[in-house]
Amino acid sequence: DTGVSQDPRHKITKRGQNVTFRCDPISEHNRLYWYRQTLGQGPEFLTYFQNEAQLEKSRLLSDRFSAERPKGSFSTLEIQRTEQGDSAMYLCASSPTAVNSGANVLTFGAGSRLTVL
Amino acid sequence: DAKTTQPNSMESNEEEPVHLPCNHSTISGTDYIHWYRQLPSQGPEYVIHGLTSNVNNRMASLAIAEDRKSSTLILHRATLRDAAVYYCILSGLAGGGADGLTFGKGTHLIIQP
């Protein structure tokens, strides 16, 4: 098990371009989360999947953002028409379903750093 | 929503114990207390979690106050590799997904050699 993998690790793009990030969770984990982190801040929740179903989306996830997890395994996060304010680290995490709600332990990937010029 | 309060930064010396405090005065009876840390240029890493009793693992100890309104993460013998941002998080906060996490700004721990 290699943990949670994210690709690419770094992406530089021009304003207005589309970008896509991929996350490969730990294989037996059925829950997958996306977070965004800007400099000096803690990670902010974006969205959450239980298997292939997207069950919750943050208000931070504008209509330019879309996330999928088509087969309940890997996930993609696409940002359309990028803006400079989208520059951030995008983190993916996965977890199994906890026996006790609240005792859930998340395993994070190393993140994908986006720079929008 | 129950929130946590942590000092912005703390400094300690290598090979000495470190006590990282966290206040969570509005914690509910079902909220677990989680600690994660984030090393530079990496994603957050799970450290420890607990509900009511003190907890120990290979990384750290978690001391939970009897009224559960505060907790302390204890690193028994800090090394330079422990320099990171440490987040104290309560489970069950709205907006984090099912059993997801709502992060604050955490405590930036500086370890002096």
Side-chain angles (χ1 to χ4, degrees), chain B residues 34-83:
Chain B
H34 292 253
W35 284 82
Y36 282 72
R37 71 179 187 181
Q38 188 171 22
L39 279 65
S41 301
Q42 295 190 27
E45 172 189 31
Y46 168 77
V47 177
I48 200 166
H49 75 281
L51 184 61
T52 56
S53 302
N54 295 344
V55 184
N56 300 297
N57 67 20
R58 64 174 180 81
M59 288 182 71
S61 295
L62 176 60
I64 301 173
E66 197 169 332
D67 64 5
R68 300 212 324 127
K69 292 185 176 182
S70 65
S71 61
T72 302
L73 179 71
I74 302 167
L75 307 179
H76 294 286
R77 194 162 169 268
T79 70
L80 295 177
R81 289 175 294 178
D82 292 320

